Amino acid sequence: MSESDYRPSARWLAACFLLIILMACSEKEPGSSIAVGPSALQTDDGTAPIVLSILPVESAGAMYEKFLPLRYYLEKILKRKVTIHVARDYDSAIKEIGEGSVHLACLDPAVYCEIRARYGRGIVPLARPAGEEGGSRSVFVVKSSSGIERLVDLKKKRVALGSEHSSFSYLMPMAMLNDVDIGIKEFASVSYLQQEDRVALSVLIGTHDAGAISEAVALKYLQDGLKIIKTSETIPEYVLCASPLLPAPMRQRLLDGLLSPAAKEGSHSTTAGTFGRTADRDFDMMRVMIRNITGRDYVEYGPKTVRVAVLPLYSAITIYDRYDPLMRYLSRETGYEFKLLIPKDFDDFYTIVKSGKADFSYQNPYSYVILSRETDLIPLATTIGEDRLPETEAGSGEFFRGVIITRAGSSIRTIQDLKDRRVLITSALSAGGFLSQKIFLAGHGIDVDRDLRMIDAKKQERVILGVYQGEADAGFVRESALVVWKDVVDMKKIRVLAVTTPLPNWPFAAVRHGNKPLEAKVADLLIHLKDSEILDAARIRGFRMAREADYEQLRKY
């Protein structure tokens, strides 16, 4: 775009001017922000109004306008005056709802998890926006003319984030960066601008090269020259919570009103249309991300909680979306509360299983074999059809396989050309990202330990990125990883050198054996599972009874 073609709007220029003023104010008074304070006035009947707290994602005026329809509907339900209070900053919002200074709050999912951990079960989640419009995504944005196309291009760049408490301007962006193995220390600089409008405008005026904000805010600035280069998975835009200040009867009245048939038919106008019921466990996915990124463990475990550790082949959100429906099914049928335990990486998974922190585990067959040597793992069921690709649909679906990849144009043209080359592997504990290739190459006279210079990348995506960026000559990954990560790199620059040895599929195993009836019940439920929604979410066809004989060949390695 030439200078003559670029004509910023008056709104954009005014917003940039406001940004400069706000950032200058922030330097003079850290943490300062515009806010609409909670009203202390009495209503006509002498009662105090219900105070609804809103996080300062955007300017106070924008947030007030956005939630005004919800305020009117809450007043209709509660028959009480409702006052909108836009918190001064995230820390203030957390303290106000946690200590009962406000009655209700529309909270970012990560902020809800933090408040619940800090202040306990007095903070009650009531409802969240339902339908497609009730969710939101985090995005990385750059200036259209920047030449930056992918996350991997952000190294050594200046990056702007919002608040470290935020799902959309911190937690989700950090998860996206973690997925492509980019750490925050690899940027030239990182600034926390608190409000997402400030982040967008800072990128537009060139103060920062890239920023992370919610998709809804990003869309406002696309016409002004902002460009989205990466989008996260969808999570709830917010959750409506009650503090201890709101009496239980009023909570129920509010919940009944939001979930009423009239509300579902669209008889009212809110920020996201209709609402759906929510519960605390709906936010365990966010807690997993918080743990893996910050080290803070906010997951709540009750006396009947059953922990299921899953080998982290993909991102935490992807794993949660796939397997949480299965956990809820097992919960309904057994009377226990099954919860996913999603480790940071392969090593973390092994530590969790070996330390007995999980009751059940779900892993690749090679990991199962290795762990069974050190722990008393018992396979209960084996996956059928896990992650099969269209071109491999022939057969029973009881196997999966790996691939060997190189960069397109590489001088490596045959298997023999791999000798003495640098090769990225997913992990020495990976089935599809190491063992499948090891067995395959052994059949061609190549000993991977002797003939290759292997580099443990620890993640499937790190292997793909490393080959793409020329950090290694070749890489070992699971076949399906090329489909899952096709949007991370330009797959036209990746060539599949070989498809390797099929391996038996993933076993679901019992780790601790204090409850034999529960183990038998879980095995039976998995083997007879026919619910298409649960199976489709997990991307499998089902389970069959596990057989120790399936793993005899793998025990040789």
Side-chain angles (χ1 to χ4, degrees):
M1 181 182 294
S2 68
E3 185 175 349
S4 60
D5 293 330
Y6 182 66
R7 296 183 176 87
S9 66
R11 177 181 62 81
W12 181 83
L13 291 172
C16 287
F17 181 67
L18 176 60
L19 172 66
I20 294 170
I21 295 174
L22 289 172
M23 291 180 72
C25 292
S26 295
E27 292 177 1
K28 294 178 181 179
E29 186 182 353
S32 64
S33 64
I34 300 173
V36 178
S39 174
L41 299 177
Q42 300 291 311
T43 57
D44 293 341
D45 61 1
T47 59
I50 300 297
V51 180
L52 171 65
S53 177
I54 307 296
L55 292 170
V57 177
E58 303 173 58
S59 68
M63 297 305 296
Y64 188 89
E65 181 180 356
K66 180 177 181 179
F67 283 91
L68 199 56
L70 176 59
R71 168 198 161 185
Y72 291 147
Y73 191 68
L74 295 180
E75 289 181 334
K76 180 180 177 182
I77 295 173
L78 297 173
K79 310 299 183 186
R80 288 274 295 275
K81 177 74 174 178
V82 174
T83 298
I84 292 178
H85 163 55
V86 182
R88 178 174 179 270
D89 51 37
Y90 278 74
D91 288 319
S92 298
I94 291 171
K95 184 176 180 180
E96 288 164 356
I97 183 69
E99 296 182 356
S101 300
V102 298
H103 301 81
L104 295 167
C106 289
L107 298 176
D108 171 303
V111 174
Y112 163 73
C113 294
E114 185 173 347
I115 292 174
R116 178 90 169 196
R118 189 182 301 184
Y119 293 99
R121 300 191 176 192
I123 310 303
V124 179
L126 299 177
R128 63 182 183 181
E132 292 184 4
E133 295 182 355
S136 187
R137 301 185 292 183
S138 175
V139 298
F140 271 94
V141 295
V142 298
K143 201 170 181 177
S144 298
S145 58
S146 68
I148 299 172
E149 300 293 335
R150 301 176 186 275
L151 285 184
V152 293
D153 300 327
L154 294 183
K155 290 184 178 181
K156 307 301 181 183
K157 303 295 185 183
R158 300 163 301 165
V159 175
L161 302 174
S163 167
E164 290 183 273
H165 298 292
S166 168
S167 294
F168 299 102
S169 62
Y170 178 74
L171 188 65
M172 297 286 284
M174 293 304 297
M176 285 191 279
L177 291 170
N178 185 61
D179 286 341
V180 295
D181 201 35
I182 297 178
I184 202 165
K185 294 182 179 179
E186 296 182 66
F187 299 130
S189 65
V190 178
S191 303
Y192 297 90
L193 305 185
Q194 301 306 312
Q195 293 182 4
E196 294 185 13
D197 280 321
R198 297 185 189 180
V199 175
L201 293 168
S202 180
V203 173
L204 282 173
I205 66 177
T207 303
H208 293 90
D209 301 302
I213 53 180
S214 62
E215 186 176 31
V217 173
L219 293 176
K220 297 192 305 181
Y221 295 96
L222 295 187
Q223 64 180 2
D224 296 315
L226 211 60
K227 180 176 71 172
I228 295 172
I229 62 168
K230 180 63 177 178
T231 303
S232 75
E233 296 96 332
T234 300
I235 63 171
E237 181 181 5
Y238 64 86
V239 53
L240 179 63
C241 297
S243 81
L245 193 61
L246 191 72
M250 195 171 290
R251 293 181 191 177
Q252 190 60 51
R253 190 192 318 162
L254 179 57
L255 190 57
D256 291 343
L258 290 173
L259 303 179
S260 68
K264 292 183 180 297
E265 290 169 6
S267 63
H268 68 283
S269 174
T270 71
T271 57
T274 60
F275 281 84
R277 186 183 297 273
T278 193
D280 180 72
R281 74 166 291 160
D282 295 336
F283 301 93
D284 280 348
M285 173 188 67
M286 300 305 301
R287 293 183 171 104
V288 168
M289 294 176 62
I290 292 170
R291 173 190 178 271
N292 290 348
I293 291 170
T294 71
R296 298 191 297 268
D297 191 353
Y298 293 158
V299 181
E300 297 182 10
Y301 300 108
K304 296 192 71 175
T305 297
V306 175
R307 299 168 175 85
V308 180
V310 179
L311 190 71
L313 190 62
Y314 304 121
S315 72
I317 293 180
T318 298
I319 293 173
Y320 189 88
D321 287 345
R322 286 192 179 193
Y323 303 122
D324 187 59
L326 178 62
M327 297 300 103
R328 293 175 187 257
Y329 161 74
L330 294 175
S331 298
R332 289 194 304 269
E333 297 298 323
T334 64
Y336 289 81
E337 186 178 28
F338 280 71
K339 286 194 173 188
L340 289 171
L341 209 171
I342 305 174
K344 291 184 293 185
D345 51 33
F346 276 62
D347 291 339
D348 192 26
F349 173 81
Y350 275 72
T351 299
I352 287 171
V353 174
K354 288 193 290 187
S355 65
K357 293 181 180 179
D359 301 287
F360 295 90
S361 63
Y362 189 43
Q363 62 275 294
N364 70 53
Y366 189 40
S367 295
Y368 162 73
V369 167
I370 293 173
L371 283 167
S372 66
R373 293 169 183 163
E374 302 180 46
T375 61
D376 188 21
L377 249 62
I378 298 176
L380 302 179
T382 299
T383 308
I384 300 174
E386 207 271 347
D387 257 355
R388 289 182 306 124
L389 299 175
E391 62 267 25
T392 65
E393 286 188 347
S396 66
E398 295 187 12
F399 300 90
F400 70 100
R401 59 192 184 179
V403 293
I404 301 173
I405 60 173
T406 63
R407 189 173 172 85
S410 167
S411 61
I412 299 175
R413 310 303 299 178
T414 69
I415 296 299
Q416 296 302 319
D417 294 336
L418 289 171
K419 289 185 176 180
D420 201 34
R421 298 294 189 115
R422 294 169 301 145
V423 179
L424 286 167
I425 65 172
T426 300
S427 166
L429 306 173
S430 172
F434 175 69
L435 184 62
S436 175
Q437 292 84 350
K438 179 179 181 178
I439 296 172
F440 173 79
L441 291 174
H444 289 76
I446 297 176
D447 183 323
V448 296
D449 296 307
R450 180 192 65 210
D451 298 327
L452 306 181
R453 289 184 284 159
M454 294 186 297
I455 305 168
D456 190 339
K458 298 189 182 301
K459 293 183 179 181
Q460 303 269 350
E461 60 270 27
R462 188 69 193 89
V463 174
I464 297 172
L465 279 172
V467 173
Y468 174 79
Q469 295 175 327
E471 296 173 10
D473 302 300
F476 295 173
V477 293
R478 183 180 174 132
E479 186 178 21
S480 60
L482 297 180
V483 174
V484 175
W485 296 104
K486 67 182 187 302
D487 295 329
V488 177
V489 300
D490 182 0
M491 283 298 171
K492 293 179 181 178
K493 297 182 179 180
I494 298 292
R495 179 164 56 88
V496 175
L497 181 67
V499 178
T500 56
T501 304
L503 298 174
N505 237 314
W506 284 38
F508 193 100
V511 179
R512 296 193 294 181
H513 310 295
N515 193 334
K516 293 294 183 182
L518 179 60
E519 291 177 19
K521 180 68 172 178
V522 168
D524 184 68
L525 289 170
L526 293 176
I527 292 167
H528 293 96
L529 176 60
K530 304 299 181 185
D531 190 309
S532 60
E533 289 189 9
I534 297 173
L535 295 174
D536 288 346
R539 299 188 183 183
I540 63 175
R541 287 214 308 257
F543 292 91
R544 64 163 173 79
M545 184 179 296
R547 301 183 293 262
E548 278 289 352
D550 294 339
Y551 312 103
E552 287 306 314
Q553 181 187 9
L554 302 185
R555 296 189 188 281
K556 302 174 184 177
Y557 297 93

